[in-house]
């Protein structure tokens, strides 16, 4: 909106560099960031709950593992809206939480491998439990002195 006001009032800065133009056009307002965070996080929780519901239908372990993993990925990526994707990745691979990040990502990948390539439903359930524990450990790594 500020850019529109500058253009309409004739105060447009012609000397703005390409990097500044790209950053100006890709930034989100705080309220937009919070809305997308809530939407993505809510979608992740919904996928996880839906996956848990699939666990109770016959032969639903495959759907459970897929929806539970997608829900965790969506909930994890929702924080990218709050702090930005680059800062999120830098914090994920910070030396203090490197091990829990690697374990968490490995559990996400191994869950999908157990379902689609190895066709081991019991192993997929074990990896889903490990996924839950790894994400809890990852979340606790953001609390000081909780590591």
């Amino acid at each position: 909106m500020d850019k529109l006001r500058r253009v309409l009032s004739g105060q447009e800065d012609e000397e703005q560099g390409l990097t500044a133009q790209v950053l100006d056009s890709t930034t989100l307002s705080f309220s937009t960031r919070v809305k997308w965070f809530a939407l993505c996080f809510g979608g992740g929780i919904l996928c996880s709950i839906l996956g848990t519901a699939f666990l109770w239908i016959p032969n639903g372990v495959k759907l459970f593992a897929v929806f539970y993993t997608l829900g965790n990925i969506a909930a994890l990526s929702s924080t990218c809206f709050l702090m930005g994707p680059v800062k999120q990745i830098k914090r994920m691979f910070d030396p203090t939480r490197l091990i829990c990040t690697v374990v968490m990502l490995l559990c996400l990948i191994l869950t999908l491998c157990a379902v689609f390539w190895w066709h081991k439903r019991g192993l997929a359930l074990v990896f889903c439990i490990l996924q839950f524990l790894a994400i809890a450990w990852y979340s606790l790594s953001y609390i000081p002195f909780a590591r």
Side-chain angles (χ1 to χ4, degrees), residues 14 18 20 32 48-49 71 80-81 84 90 101 121 126 129-130 139:
E14 295 292 330
L18 179 63
T32 304
S48 294
I49 291 171
C80 288
F81 287 105
K90 283 181 182 178
T101 299
R121 293 183 176 132
V126 169
I129 293 168
L130 290 175
S139 299

Side-chain angles (χ1 to χ4, degrees), residues 84-101:
V86 174
K87 192 172 182 182
Q88 169 74 17
I89 295 204
K90 283 181 182 178
R91 283 194 175 177
M92 282 176 71
F93 291 100
D94 191 49
T96 57
R97 64 182 61 91
L98 179 66
I99 295 172
C100 62
T101 299

